[in-house]
Amino acid sequence: MRKTLVIAFGGNALLQAGEKGTAAEQWANVSRTCKALVPLIKQGHNIVIGHGNGPQVGNELLRQSAGKSQYGLEEMPMDFCVAETQGSIGYMIELALLNEGIDRQVVTLLSPVVVDEDDKAFQNPTKPVGPYYKEKQEGFKEDPKGNGWRKVVASPAPKQILHSELIKQLSSTGTIVITVGGGGIPVVVQSDGKYKSVEAVIDKDLASALLAQEIGADELYILTDVPNACINFRQENEQVLNGITLEQAKKYLDEGHFKEGSMAPKIRAAIKFASGVNRRSIITTAANLDGGTRIANNEYSTDTDVS
Ligand code: ADP
Ligand code: MG
């Protein structure tokens, strides 16, 4: 059966630990991840791809800062930097998929994502971005590892994917759409109805989960660098999670089995999406698409399994 899949690429799909982030390294990683998707693509499913941009946007912010201090260039704001990484990363994924010889059109859509101006996250910014500075400035926090001071921005919840209707239409005709890169470009809707960018970072797994809901997807794949989520992670009694129910996932999350900033947001995104009727979330690596940690309602109909 033809399904609609949203596949969120983690950081590892673009850069691996210890790499510098050269263009050649990024091409190699993107190509490896895209190659792994070919069997799924050949099954004929509608496919939408989301991706992270942490190291890439971090480097872009550093370039802005260096450009200002060395050449007196005006620094461009974060929304420009996110848009640039959506474009460059999307372009790599497009070419890498086309080079696998798949019989599909592939397109990247830059993706503004609406957040709520009153989101509580704006009162307590937590996400460090950009270069380290020696001295404290307004809106900065000290790095716990002693590297200096860094700007922190809010991480508000995504409320609406601006282009979801268009993404749905394109993907239903078989076009592979790459979008919500880096969680999207955060914008708020002002009282006059106009959009305005805000300095913030949206969690890319939550944005992918919202997109999957909005386009009525059947499955959300969250691809990362571990084949499964575990309970008692890295302890003697560690246990790999395969198929689990929503209730189990919520219980393990409440018990603190998943680390904040890494696995916990993925589990939250997986739960958010799988809470809908007949929907399933899968957390795994690109090399393990038939396995992984699968979270579903009891009603998830097994006759539509990809296997
Ligand atoms: P990505 O960059 O791919 O989006 P992260 O690096 O943020 O992903 O999160 C994946 C990491 O989460 C794994 O490499 C692992 O070290 C960590 N992690 C934390 N808690 C768990 C857990 N309970 N089970 C498995 N992995 C976990
Ligand atoms: Mg990572």
Side-chain angles (χ1 to χ4, degrees), residues 10-12 204-205 223-226 228-231 233-234 257-259 261-263 266:
N12 202 55
K204 77 125 198 342
D205 294 311
L223 302 187
T224 182
D225 58 356
V226 285
N228 292 79
C230 303
I231 52 172
F233 183 56
R234 291 191 179 149
H257 285 284
F258 313 115
K259 271 217 219 123
S262 59
M263 190 52 75
K266 295 182 197 308

PDB file of all heavy atoms in Angstrom, residues 10-12 204-205 223-226 228-231 233-234 257-259 261-263 266, ligand 1:
ATOM      1  N   GLY A  10      18.772  13.324  10.934  1.00  0.00           N
ATOM      2  CA  GLY A  10      19.488  13.904  12.077  1.00  0.00           C
ATOM      3  C   GLY A  10      20.818  14.478  11.650  1.00  0.00           C
ATOM      4  O   GLY A  10      21.203  14.411  10.472  1.00  0.00           O
ATOM      5  N   GLY A  11      21.533  15.049  12.617  1.00  0.00           N
ATOM      6  CA  GLY A  11      22.821  15.672  12.334  1.00  0.00           C
ATOM      7  C   GLY A  11      23.789  14.735  11.641  1.00  0.00           C
ATOM      8  O   GLY A  11      24.550  15.132  10.748  1.00  0.00           O
ATOM      9  N   ASN A  12      23.736  13.472  12.044  1.00  0.00           N
ATOM     10  CA  ASN A  12      24.641  12.461  11.538  1.00  0.00           C
ATOM     11  C   ASN A  12      24.500  12.208  10.026  1.00  0.00           C
ATOM     12  O   ASN A  12      25.440  11.776   9.363  1.00  0.00           O
ATOM     13  CB  ASN A  12      24.319  11.169  12.295  1.00  0.00           C
ATOM     14  CG  ASN A  12      25.456  10.215  12.280  1.00  0.00           C
ATOM     15  OD1 ASN A  12      26.550  10.566  12.681  1.00  0.00           O
ATOM     16  ND2 ASN A  12      25.199   9.026  11.797  1.00  0.00           N
ATOM     17  N   LYS A 204      13.917  20.493  15.343  1.00  0.00           N
ATOM     18  CA  LYS A 204      13.634  19.949  14.006  1.00  0.00           C
ATOM     19  C   LYS A 204      12.754  18.695  14.052  1.00  0.00           C
ATOM     20  O   LYS A 204      11.979  18.444  13.127  1.00  0.00           O
ATOM     21  CB  LYS A 204      14.931  19.692  13.236  1.00  0.00           C
ATOM     22  CG  LYS A 204      15.682  18.449  13.652  1.00  0.00           C
ATOM     23  CD  LYS A 204      15.945  17.543  12.465  1.00  0.00           C
ATOM     24  CE  LYS A 204      16.287  16.130  12.839  1.00  0.00           C
ATOM     25  NZ  LYS A 204      16.729  15.725  14.122  1.00  0.00           N
ATOM     26  N   ASP A 205      12.849  17.915  15.133  1.00  0.00           N
ATOM     27  CA  ASP A 205      12.005  16.717  15.218  1.00  0.00           C
ATOM     28  C   ASP A 205      10.549  17.099  15.475  1.00  0.00           C
ATOM     29  O   ASP A 205       9.635  16.495  14.906  1.00  0.00           O
ATOM     30  CB  ASP A 205      12.540  15.777  16.307  1.00  0.00           C
ATOM     31  CG  ASP A 205      13.914  15.220  15.928  1.00  0.00           C
ATOM     32  OD1 ASP A 205      14.059  14.736  14.794  1.00  0.00           O
ATOM     33  OD2 ASP A 205      14.848  15.311  16.750  1.00  0.00           O
ATOM     34  N   LEU A 223      15.535   9.838  11.834  1.00  0.00           N
ATOM     35  CA  LEU A 223      16.815   9.155  11.621  1.00  0.00           C
ATOM     36  C   LEU A 223      17.912   9.814  12.447  1.00  0.00           C
ATOM     37  O   LEU A 223      18.093  11.024  12.409  1.00  0.00           O
ATOM     38  CB  LEU A 223      17.200   9.180  10.140  1.00  0.00           C
ATOM     39  CG  LEU A 223      16.189   8.548   9.180  1.00  0.00           C
ATOM     40  CD1 LEU A 223      16.774   8.488   7.774  1.00  0.00           C
ATOM     41  CD2 LEU A 223      15.770   7.152   9.649  1.00  0.00           C
ATOM     42  N   THR A 224      18.652   8.998  13.199  1.00  0.00           N
ATOM     43  CA  THR A 224      19.725   9.526  14.026  1.00  0.00           C
ATOM     44  C   THR A 224      20.921   8.576  13.969  1.00  0.00           C
ATOM     45  O   THR A 224      21.058   7.840  12.989  1.00  0.00           O
ATOM     46  CB  THR A 224      19.197   9.796  15.465  1.00  0.00           C
ATOM     47  OG1 THR A 224      20.245  10.350  16.237  1.00  0.00           O
ATOM     48  CG2 THR A 224      18.652   8.549  16.147  1.00  0.00           C
ATOM     49  N   ASP A 225      21.805   8.628  14.969  1.00  0.00           N
ATOM     50  CA  ASP A 225      23.024   7.803  14.889  1.00  0.00           C
ATOM     51  C   ASP A 225      22.970   6.566  15.776  1.00  0.00           C
ATOM     52  O   ASP A 225      23.984   5.914  15.968  1.00  0.00           O
ATOM     53  CB  ASP A 225      24.261   8.653  15.213  1.00  0.00           C
ATOM     54  CG  ASP A 225      24.191   9.295  16.578  1.00  0.00           C
ATOM     55  OD1 ASP A 225      23.153   9.147  17.262  1.00  0.00           O
ATOM     56  OD2 ASP A 225      25.170   9.943  16.984  1.00  0.00           O
ATOM     57  N   VAL A 226      21.814   6.261  16.357  1.00  0.00           N
ATOM     58  CA  VAL A 226      21.658   5.005  17.111  1.00  0.00           C
ATOM     59  C   VAL A 226      20.462   4.236  16.530  1.00  0.00           C
ATOM     60  O   VAL A 226      19.460   4.842  16.159  1.00  0.00           O
ATOM     61  CB  VAL A 226      21.442   5.247  18.634  1.00  0.00           C
ATOM     62  CG1 VAL A 226      22.745   5.656  19.306  1.00  0.00           C
ATOM     63  CG2 VAL A 226      20.352   6.274  18.899  1.00  0.00           C
ATOM     64  N   ASN A 228      18.347   2.283  17.944  1.00  0.00           N
ATOM     65  CA  ASN A 228      17.171   2.220  18.812  1.00  0.00           C
ATOM     66  C   ASN A 228      17.303   3.191  19.975  1.00  0.00           C
ATOM     67  O   ASN A 228      18.412   3.505  20.396  1.00  0.00           O
ATOM     68  CB  ASN A 228      17.038   0.818  19.449  1.00  0.00           C
ATOM     69  CG  ASN A 228      16.707  -0.247  18.439  1.00  0.00           C
ATOM     70  OD1 ASN A 228      17.594  -0.707  17.729  1.00  0.00           O
ATOM     71  ND2 ASN A 228      15.453  -0.623  18.364  1.00  0.00           N
ATOM     72  N   ALA A 229      16.164   3.592  20.496  1.00  0.00           N
ATOM     73  CA  ALA A 229      16.152   4.241  21.805  1.00  0.00           C
ATOM     74  C   ALA A 229      16.220   3.126  22.848  1.00  0.00           C
ATOM     75  O   ALA A 229      15.753   2.011  22.599  1.00  0.00           O
ATOM     76  CB  ALA A 229      14.875   5.051  21.982  1.00  0.00           C
ATOM     77  N   CYS A 230      16.816   3.419  23.981  1.00  0.00           N
ATOM     78  CA  CYS A 230      16.985   2.402  25.032  1.00  0.00           C
ATOM     79  C   CYS A 230      16.446   2.931  26.347  1.00  0.00           C
ATOM     80  O   CYS A 230      16.399   4.145  26.571  1.00  0.00           O
ATOM     81  CB  CYS A 230      18.464   2.089  25.251  1.00  0.00           C
ATOM     82  SG  CYS A 230      19.312   1.528  23.777  1.00  0.00           S
ATOM     83  N   ILE A 231      16.069   2.015  27.217  1.00  0.00           N
ATOM     84  CA  ILE A 231      15.847   2.419  28.612  1.00  0.00           C
ATOM     85  C   ILE A 231      17.074   2.008  29.414  1.00  0.00           C
ATOM     86  O   ILE A 231      17.851   1.147  28.967  1.00  0.00           O
ATOM     87  CB  ILE A 231      14.532   1.847  29.203  1.00  0.00           C
ATOM     88  CG1 ILE A 231      14.459   0.339  29.010  1.00  0.00           C
ATOM     89  CG2 ILE A 231      13.327   2.523  28.570  1.00  0.00           C
ATOM     90  CD1 ILE A 231      13.270  -0.289  29.737  1.00  0.00           C
ATOM     91  N   PHE A 233      19.695   3.643  29.594  1.00  0.00           N
ATOM     92  CA  PHE A 233      20.708   3.901  28.565  1.00  0.00           C
ATOM     93  C   PHE A 233      22.118   3.922  29.162  1.00  0.00           C
ATOM     94  O   PHE A 233      22.365   4.605  30.152  1.00  0.00           O
ATOM     95  CB  PHE A 233      20.379   5.245  27.911  1.00  0.00           C
ATOM     96  CG  PHE A 233      21.287   5.642  26.780  1.00  0.00           C
ATOM     97  CD1 PHE A 233      21.468   4.811  25.686  1.00  0.00           C
ATOM     98  CD2 PHE A 233      21.954   6.855  26.816  1.00  0.00           C
ATOM     99  CE1 PHE A 233      22.282   5.190  24.636  1.00  0.00           C
ATOM    100  CE2 PHE A 233      22.775   7.249  25.770  1.00  0.00           C
ATOM    101  CZ  PHE A 233      22.946   6.409  24.678  1.00  0.00           C
ATOM    102  N   ARG A 234      23.015   3.161  28.563  1.00  0.00           N
ATOM    103  CA  ARG A 234      24.425   3.062  28.972  1.00  0.00           C
ATOM    104  C   ARG A 234      24.621   2.596  30.408  1.00  0.00           C
ATOM    105  O   ARG A 234      25.606   2.923  31.048  1.00  0.00           O
ATOM    106  CB  ARG A 234      25.148   4.398  28.741  1.00  0.00           C
ATOM    107  CG  ARG A 234      25.301   4.665  27.245  1.00  0.00           C
ATOM    108  CD  ARG A 234      26.222   5.799  26.945  1.00  0.00           C
ATOM    109  NE  ARG A 234      26.328   5.966  25.504  1.00  0.00           N
ATOM    110  CZ  ARG A 234      26.538   7.124  24.898  1.00  0.00           C
ATOM    111  NH1 ARG A 234      26.665   8.232  25.605  1.00  0.00           N
ATOM    112  NH2 ARG A 234      26.652   7.170  23.585  1.00  0.00           N
ATOM    113  N   HIS A 257      14.265   8.256  31.113  1.00  0.00           N
ATOM    114  CA  HIS A 257      15.202   7.360  30.424  1.00  0.00           C
ATOM    115  C   HIS A 257      15.902   8.025  29.233  1.00  0.00           C
ATOM    116  O   HIS A 257      16.913   7.521  28.760  1.00  0.00           O
ATOM    117  CB  HIS A 257      14.473   6.109  29.927  1.00  0.00           C
ATOM    118  CG  HIS A 257      14.141   5.151  31.020  1.00  0.00           C
ATOM    119  ND1 HIS A 257      15.074   4.331  31.601  1.00  0.00           N
ATOM    120  CD2 HIS A 257      12.970   4.904  31.666  1.00  0.00           C
ATOM    121  CE1 HIS A 257      14.507   3.594  32.539  1.00  0.00           C
ATOM    122  NE2 HIS A 257      13.222   3.927  32.605  1.00  0.00           N
ATOM    123  N   PHE A 258      15.325   9.103  28.717  1.00  0.00           N
ATOM    124  CA  PHE A 258      15.867   9.716  27.493  1.00  0.00           C
ATOM    125  C   PHE A 258      16.462  11.077  27.822  1.00  0.00           C
ATOM    126  O   PHE A 258      15.813  11.907  28.459  1.00  0.00           O
ATOM    127  CB  PHE A 258      14.750   9.847  26.450  1.00  0.00           C
ATOM    128  CG  PHE A 258      13.947   8.589  26.295  1.00  0.00           C
ATOM    129  CD1 PHE A 258      12.600   8.557  26.647  1.00  0.00           C
ATOM    130  CD2 PHE A 258      14.550   7.430  25.823  1.00  0.00           C
ATOM    131  CE1 PHE A 258      11.853   7.387  26.523  1.00  0.00           C
ATOM    132  CE2 PHE A 258      13.804   6.254  25.699  1.00  0.00           C
ATOM    133  CZ  PHE A 258      12.456   6.232  26.047  1.00  0.00           C
ATOM    134  N   LYS A 259      17.680  11.321  27.326  1.00  0.00           N
ATOM    135  CA  LYS A 259      18.383  12.566  27.679  1.00  0.00           C
ATOM    136  C   LYS A 259      17.754  13.779  27.007  1.00  0.00           C
ATOM    137  O   LYS A 259      17.440  13.758  25.811  1.00  0.00           O
ATOM    138  CB  LYS A 259      19.848  12.479  27.234  1.00  0.00           C
ATOM    139  CG  LYS A 259      20.760  11.891  28.267  1.00  0.00           C
ATOM    140  CD  LYS A 259      22.112  12.627  28.199  1.00  0.00           C
ATOM    141  CE  LYS A 259      23.279  11.725  28.384  1.00  0.00           C
ATOM    142  NZ  LYS A 259      24.272  11.658  27.374  1.00  0.00           N
ATOM    143  N   GLY A 261      17.788  17.261  25.155  1.00  0.00           N
ATOM    144  CA  GLY A 261      18.721  17.780  24.161  1.00  0.00           C
ATOM    145  C   GLY A 261      19.158  16.735  23.146  1.00  0.00           C
ATOM    146  O   GLY A 261      19.813  17.071  22.164  1.00  0.00           O
ATOM    147  N   SER A 262      18.827  15.451  23.364  1.00  0.00           N
ATOM    148  CA  SER A 262      19.164  14.450  22.340  1.00  0.00           C
ATOM    149  C   SER A 262      17.974  13.516  22.109  1.00  0.00           C
ATOM    150  O   SER A 262      17.165  13.766  21.230  1.00  0.00           O
ATOM    151  CB  SER A 262      20.448  13.693  22.694  1.00  0.00           C
ATOM    152  OG  SER A 262      20.340  13.019  23.928  1.00  0.00           O
ATOM    153  N   MET A 263      17.833  12.453  22.917  1.00  0.00           N
ATOM    154  CA  MET A 263      16.757  11.489  22.648  1.00  0.00           C
ATOM    155  C   MET A 263      15.384  11.963  23.130  1.00  0.00           C
ATOM    156  O   MET A 263      14.370  11.653  22.492  1.00  0.00           O
ATOM    157  CB  MET A 263      17.118  10.126  23.256  1.00  0.00           C
ATOM    158  CG  MET A 263      16.209   8.985  22.862  1.00  0.00           C
ATOM    159  SD  MET A 263      15.981   8.798  21.073  1.00  0.00           S
ATOM    160  CE  MET A 263      17.550   8.073  20.584  1.00  0.00           C
ATOM    161  N   LYS A 266      13.229  13.693  20.571  1.00  0.00           N
ATOM    162  CA  LYS A 266      12.814  12.754  19.509  1.00  0.00           C
ATOM    163  C   LYS A 266      11.631  11.918  19.971  1.00  0.00           C
ATOM    164  O   LYS A 266      10.678  11.693  19.222  1.00  0.00           O
ATOM    165  CB  LYS A 266      13.980  11.828  19.122  1.00  0.00           C
ATOM    166  CG  LYS A 266      15.126  12.587  18.498  1.00  0.00           C
ATOM    167  CD  LYS A 266      16.245  11.655  18.066  1.00  0.00           C
ATOM    168  CE  LYS A 266      17.514  12.434  17.853  1.00  0.00           C
ATOM    169  NZ  LYS A 266      17.375  13.599  16.961  1.00  0.00           N
TER     170      LYS A 266
HETATM  171  P1  ADP B   1      20.659  13.920  15.916  1.00  0.00           P
HETATM  172  O1  ADP B   1      21.855  14.832  15.919  1.00  0.00           O
HETATM  173  O2  ADP B   1      20.810  12.735  15.029  1.00  0.00           O
HETATM  174  O3  ADP B   1      19.347  14.604  15.708  1.00  0.00           O
HETATM  175  P2  ADP B   1      21.164  13.577  18.768  1.00  0.00           P
HETATM  176  O4  ADP B   1      22.640  13.427  18.734  1.00  0.00           O
HETATM  177  O5  ADP B   1      20.596  14.833  19.283  1.00  0.00           O
HETATM  178  O6  ADP B   1      20.558  13.248  17.343  1.00  0.00           O
HETATM  179  O7  ADP B   1      20.493  12.378  19.598  1.00  0.00           O
HETATM  180  C1  ADP B   1      20.910  11.033  19.388  1.00  0.00           C
HETATM  181  C2  ADP B   1      21.729  10.598  20.610  1.00  0.00           C
HETATM  182  O8  ADP B   1      20.849  10.444  21.734  1.00  0.00           O
HETATM  183  C3  ADP B   1      22.406   9.247  20.536  1.00  0.00           C
HETATM  184  O9  ADP B   1      23.646   9.325  19.885  1.00  0.00           O
HETATM  185  C4  ADP B   1      22.535   8.872  22.010  1.00  0.00           C
HETATM  186  O10 ADP B   1      23.854   9.097  22.473  1.00  0.00           O
HETATM  187  C5  ADP B   1      21.612   9.815  22.746  1.00  0.00           C
HETATM  188  N1  ADP B   1      20.671   9.216  23.708  1.00  0.00           N
HETATM  189  C6  ADP B   1      20.289   9.820  24.854  1.00  0.00           C
HETATM  190  N2  ADP B   1      19.441   9.058  25.548  1.00  0.00           N
HETATM  191  C7  ADP B   1      19.276   7.906  24.830  1.00  0.00           C
HETATM  192  C8  ADP B   1      18.516   6.716  25.043  1.00  0.00           C
HETATM  193  N3  ADP B   1      17.756   6.542  26.135  1.00  0.00           N
HETATM  194  N4  ADP B   1      18.574   5.753  24.093  1.00  0.00           N
HETATM  195  C9  ADP B   1      19.342   5.915  22.995  1.00  0.00           C
HETATM  196  N5  ADP B   1      20.086   7.031  22.736  1.00  0.00           N
HETATM  197  C10 ADP B   1      20.060   8.023  23.647  1.00  0.00           C
END
